[in-house]
Amino acid sequence: MPFIITDPCIGTKDSACVDVCPVDCIHPRKDEPEFAATTMLYIHPEECIDCGACVPACPVTAIYDSPESVPASQKELVEANAVYRAGDAGAVAQAEAIVQQHVQAHADLMAVPPAERAVAHAG
Ligand code: SF4
Ligand code: SF4
C-alpha cells in the first residue's frame, strides 16, 4: 500500500520528504514547474516502494503509511495523491480541486497550525 501525504503539508511544503525518497515518487519537486502553484505535495501510489523514509523526515506528521491509516477527516486526500501526475495539467488540476474542496470543508482544522493539525484530525 502506498504512503499518503495529507493536509499538514499545506502551509509547510518544505520538500523534506522529496529529499529522502529513494525512488523520486513525491511531486512536485521544487524544480518542477507545478511546484509554485500546488497547495501540497503528492505521492505516486504505484511508484512508492513503502520504505518509510519520508515519515520521520516530515516536520508536521503529514505522511501516513497507507490509505487505511489516514484519518476519516482526510480520506479524500488519498484520491488526491492517487490522481496527481507530474507534467499532466489535467491530473494536477484534478488533484488540486480535491484539495481545495477538502480545505473548504475543514476550515476549522485548516486554522490550526500545520504542526498541530495531524493531532487535531486524530482528535
Ligand atoms: S515510503 Fe519511501 S518510496 Fe514511498 S514516498 Fe515515502 S520515501 Fe518515497
Ligand atoms: S516533508 Fe511533510 S510538509 Fe514537507 S513537503 Fe513533505 S509532506 Fe509536505
Side-chain angles (χ1 to χ4, degrees), residues 3 21-23 25-26 43 48-54:
F3 282 47
C21 179
V23 295
C25 69
I26 307 175
I43 293 174
C48 172
I49 59 169
D50 300 349
C51 72
C54 53

Side-chain angles (χ1 to χ4, degrees), residues 97-114:
I98 294 169
V99 172
Q100 291 309 324
Q101 283 181 350
H102 172 79
V103 166
Q104 286 166 18
H106 296 287
D108 51 341
L109 286 160
M110 299 312 298
V112 175

Side-chain angles (χ1 to χ4, degrees), residues 2 12 16-17 32-33 59 66 71-73 75 78 80 85 90 92-93 101 111-112:
T12 311
C17 53
E32 290 174 327
S66 70
S73 52
K75 286 289 189 205
V78 173
R85 291 291 179 274
V92 172
Q101 283 181 350
V112 175

Side-chain angles (χ1 to χ4, degrees), residues 2-9 16-18 20 26 41 43 48 52-66 69-70 74 81 118:
F3 282 47
I4 307 289
I5 296 180
T6 62
D7 71 22
C9 185
C17 53
V18 174
V20 300
I26 307 175
L41 270 60
I43 293 174
C48 172
C54 53
V55 173
C58 180
V60 291
T61 325
I63 305 176
Y64 291 85
D65 66 0
S66 70
S69 303
V70 174
Q74 301 223 66
N81 280 255

